[in-house]
Amino acid sequence: MSETSAPGSAELLDDPFRSVTGWGRTAPTTALVVRPRTYEQAAAAVRGCGARGGIARGLGRAYGDAAQNAGGAVLDMTGLDRIRSVDADAGVVVCDAGVSLHRLMEVLLPLGWFVPVTPGTRYVTVGGAIGADIHGKNHHGSGGFSRHVTSLELLGADGEVRTVLPGTDLFDATAGGMGLTGVILSATVRLLPVETSLMSVDTERAADLDDLMDRLTGTDHLYRYSVAWIDLLAKGRALGRSVLTRGDHAPLDVLPPRARRHPLVFRPSQLPAAPAFVPEGLLGRRSVGLFNELWFRRAPRSRVGELQRISTFFHPLDGVPHWNRIYGRSGFVQYQFVVPYGQEEALRRIVGRISRRGCPSFLAVLKRFGEGDPGWLSFPVAGWTLALDIPARMPRLGPFLDELDEEVAGAAGRIYLAKDSRVRPAVLAAMYPRLDRFRALRAELDPRGVFTSDLSRRLGL
């Protein structure tokens, strides 16, 4: 049940004060959650945020505390979920910020268009995709999501709605700005033409980290999408052994005759949801080590041209609702960093340290980034990025990740704010050279700190 107090008021839940957490479930805080369904309601919600401010939230897939606001307001933007127009000739969509990538795929794939960038889940909103400037398996050729946004409507702290265009300071501060420059209301996005809803996928094994980097460096330019699952528990000569998966959207002429009848159908499969209670320690070194061994050995040494569903290739974990529960009540930390090209030795050292520490991560992926994006706090720079999940209950995890932060910063790298829940402010300043510029613009636009989150308070953003 829900209620709306007045036509201009955002929807309030029966118990609007709710515990809110990121996807990692590590540090919940309580906030007043409101759900605007019109732009006017969003403006009213911003005006009524109070002393603790407010922050926009989409589908809650940021791993850390970026969409939390202890004691303040959280604007649930999923009520703004209209697709306003689709230009099926030019490949452009105009939609509200609360529209999910899943919904866009449902609407656009039958028309022969696909989203330009998708992360490992399609359950993110367009507003969240811009605020975190998400990246995917195609960053080496296509860049981040915001590179494909031609304009956006931004609700500022002063209550005004501005049309923000690429190439302006406000756009560059908003792309990757974690919702701290205002509430994104809508966006115009360029799309990618496709002939089918299937992927043509090549898979191969890499014996170790150097073998993997050689394969990626030598042939990545031949593929639109590329990612490697990496065994971070392997040691010795097998350190960094991997399964490399690359592909592109399958053209119509490679489909078997039966599949050509409905080439653009989008029907993701789904398994039962993860149980609400999972015993602590289920994902330990022994269980993850066994999984990694089986996963590596069952992967083909080399397979070319396998047809896979889009959901299988891009979003395998979306098939298990609430998969984040498998880490138990203590949750997990996702740690993602990038180091520039030329810092391969730093990457080797970090992978070696993770292996020696025995971090039980079965969701570890390595990718190559292309040219960095213009957003001042956008994460990608041209280089190597590694993401791994670690159970939060792992002993002395905080000090260990602090040490990795120092290694990353020393290599002129950075960590990803959309996945962070614990980096130290001083280290972050070394990672993001345009941070002071971001803070200055934010202070000018929002001197009262209307847009605030647990992340922004923790890091002084």
Side-chain angles (χ1 to χ4, degrees):
M1 297 287 294
S2 61
E3 62 180 1
T4 304
S5 57
S9 301
E11 178 182 333
L12 285 178
L13 306 180
D14 282 344
D15 182 10
F17 291 95
R18 297 173 54 193
S19 177
V20 179
T21 186
W23 194 244
R25 305 171 72 202
T26 55
T29 55
T30 299
L32 173 67
V33 179
V34 296
R35 184 182 293 127
R37 294 192 176 275
T38 67
Y39 295 173
E40 292 76 16
Q41 289 180 4
V46 168
R47 287 195 297 271
C49 277
R52 294 286 287 181
I55 193 69
R57 180 182 176 92
L59 287 166
R61 288 314 198 267
Y63 285 77
D65 54 2
Q68 300 173 211
N69 184 22
V74 169
L75 280 64
D76 178 350
M77 298 299 292
T78 58
L80 284 167
D81 59 355
R82 288 161 293 183
I83 296 177
R84 296 184 170 267
S85 67
V86 178
D87 187 332
D89 294 322
V92 174
V93 63
V94 181
C95 62
D96 286 347
V99 174
S100 70
L101 298 193
H102 173 84
R103 180 61 181 151
L104 287 182
M105 291 176 198
E106 287 182 323
V107 172
L108 298 172
L109 269 170
L111 303 176
W113 297 98
F114 190 63
V115 295
V117 172
T118 177
T121 175
R122 60 186 178 274
Y123 294 112
V124 296
T125 62
V126 169
I130 298 169
D133 201 10
I134 60 170
H135 57 271
K137 298 177 175 69
N138 60 340
H139 190 278
H140 61 283
S142 300
F145 189 90
S146 296
R147 195 179 296 186
H148 305 272
V149 175
T150 61
S151 69
L152 60 88
E153 299 294 309
L154 186 72
L155 172 63
D158 56 5
E160 293 188 15
V161 177
R162 296 173 174 82
T163 299
V164 185
L165 302 177
T168 63
D169 283 355
L170 185 53
F171 188 95
D172 291 346
T174 301
M178 308 310 297
L180 296 173
T181 61
V183 177
I184 299 170
L185 297 175
S186 68
T188 303
V189 184
R190 291 191 304 265
L191 305 169
L192 176 71
V194 296
E195 295 182 13
T196 76
S197 60
L198 294 174
M199 305 296 296
S200 178
V201 181
D202 296 351
T203 305
E204 59 189 288
R205 285 193 225 165
D208 55 38
L209 183 59
D210 285 337
D211 183 24
L212 173 62
M213 290 194 290
D214 287 344
R215 291 171 189 255
L216 285 168
T217 301
T219 59
D220 232 18
H221 63 284
L222 302 176
Y223 296 88
R224 182 183 298 273
Y225 302 102
S226 178
V227 67
W229 168 88
I230 182 169
D231 183 357
L232 291 176
L233 288 177
K235 302 182 185 300
R237 293 169 60 183
L239 179 69
R241 65 178 180 178
S242 310
V243 178
L244 177 56
T245 308
R246 296 181 286 188
D248 205 338
H249 298 275
L252 186 62
D253 58 12
V254 306
L255 268 60
R258 189 172 182 178
R260 294 184 195 180
R261 299 175 192 171
H262 304 285
L264 291 166
V265 66
F266 179 59
R267 293 175 184 160
S269 58
Q270 194 164 69
L271 297 171
F277 173 76
V278 176
E280 295 288 337
L282 178 65
L283 297 180
R285 294 177 192 175
R286 183 173 298 179
S287 59
V288 173
L290 177 61
F291 170 87
N292 287 359
E293 183 70 28
L294 293 174
W295 189 261
F296 182 78
R297 291 190 179 277
R298 76 180 288 270
R301 292 186 182 276
S302 180
R303 182 172 60 200
V304 177
E306 180 190 13
L307 293 178
Q308 295 183 3
R309 293 180 180 183
I310 274 176
S311 56
T312 300
F313 181 76
F314 288 109
H315 316 120
L317 288 173
D318 282 347
V320 183
H322 305 292
W323 65 262
N324 57 337
R325 294 173 179 170
I326 65 176
Y327 290 89
R329 290 183 177 178
S330 60
F332 68 99
V333 172
Q334 179 154 121
Y335 187 75
Q336 183 168 8
F337 68 90
V338 58
V339 293
Y341 296 126
Q343 293 289 341
E344 286 74 16
E345 189 54 41
L347 177 62
R348 293 186 188 96
R349 287 196 304 269
I350 293 171
V351 170
R353 294 181 72 162
I354 294 170
S355 173
R356 290 191 299 273
R357 185 68 166 77
C359 294
S361 175
F362 74 99
L363 296 176
V365 295
L366 183 76
K367 294 180 291 193
R368 293 175 76 249
F369 279 158
E371 180 183 352
D373 299 294
W376 294 346
L377 297 187
S378 290
F379 167 62
V381 296
W384 302 95
T385 180
L386 176 65
L388 61 148
D389 292 347
I390 311 172
R393 64 188 294 273
M394 183 175 172
R396 294 190 55 77
L397 177 59
F400 175 68
L401 293 180
D402 287 345
E403 293 171 3
L404 295 190
D405 288 343
E406 296 288 350
E407 186 96 47
V408 169
R414 58 183 58 162
I415 55 92
Y416 191 15
L417 286 175
K419 297 184 177 180
D420 176 62
S421 58
R422 28 70 45 203
V423 73
R424 292 167 294 162
V427 178
L428 185 76
M431 294 176 172
Y432 284 88
R434 292 179 287 188
L435 181 58
D436 284 344
R437 193 175 179 187
F438 175 83
R439 286 169 170 156
L441 181 64
R442 184 169 174 240
E444 176 185 339
L445 295 174
D446 185 9
R448 295 184 295 112
V450 170
F451 300 115
T452 307
S453 65
D454 291 353
L455 175 95
S456 72
R457 276 190 290 267
R458 175 169 58 85
L459 295 177
L461 298 179

